[in-house]
Amino acid sequence: MTPHEFFQHDTFAEQAGVELVEIRKGYGKAKMEIKPVHLNAGGRTQGGAIFTLADLTLAAAANSHGTLAFSLSANITFLRASGSGDTLYAEARERYIGRSTGCYQVDITNQHGELIATFESSVFRKDQQVPFKGL
């Protein structure tokens, strides 16, 4: 099984339209095309949609070492609005990796490279291998 195949089992993110673009050790990149279904009552991208994009990207980076990792905490800061027709990109970068924990920063940008949100998360690594070889 490849990492991309593994993350296709994240049906919530898949149904939300999140597409995994790249995974390498300690790094993940994903994108989501914003459609009317992603909008809140004010006509802007719903915060939960942006969080879902960031969360799957975090999962790709955190699990890239071959050990199953789950988020312990997450914080998102929304900086700029986006809306229907935009394409959002999330890039997760590992900032710290310990024996059983890790810390990640995810930047969410639009198709113009403008920063939409920042997302920080810490993860816990279980003593369980993912069904793909670490990168």
Side-chain angles (χ1 to χ4, degrees):
M1 177 179 285
T2 69
H4 282 82
E5 290 169 337
F6 175 73
F7 287 107
Q8 285 176 344
H9 292 287
D10 190 322
T11 54
F12 185 82
E14 183 179 11
Q15 289 180 7
V18 178
E19 179 186 334
L20 195 54
V21 175
E22 183 180 355
I23 307 171
R24 54 182 200 260
K25 198 169 201 174
Y27 176 85
K29 184 175 183 178
K31 72 176 186 174
M32 178 171 46
E33 294 180 21
I34 304 303
K35 299 181 175 161
V37 70
H38 297 115
L39 303 181
N40 61 23
R44 302 293 185 252
T45 307
Q46 209 271 349
I50 297 170
F51 192 99
T52 298
L53 172 63
D55 191 53
L56 182 74
T57 310
L58 158 72
N63 285 280
S64 67
H65 297 282
T67 305
L68 193 59
F70 293 101
S71 183
L72 289 171
S73 67
N75 182 55
I76 192 165
T77 302
F78 301 105
L79 303 168
R80 178 179 275 120
S82 66
S84 190
D86 285 335
T87 300
L88 300 185
Y89 297 89
E91 286 187 89
R93 292 175 177 85
E94 192 168 73
R95 302 202 48 187
Y96 166 81
I97 183 169
R99 185 174 37 84
S100 61
T101 62
C103 183
Y104 295 82
Q105 172 76 40
V106 183
D107 288 335
I108 298 94
T109 57
N110 64 16
Q111 68 274 16
H112 305 295
E114 298 169 322
L115 191 61
I116 301 297
T118 60
F119 176 98
E120 293 180 339
S121 181
S122 60
V123 301
F124 177 76
R125 287 186 168 67
K126 304 228 2 131
D127 188 20
Q128 180 180 345
Q129 298 299 304
V130 291
F132 61 86
K133 189 174 182 176
L135 305 174

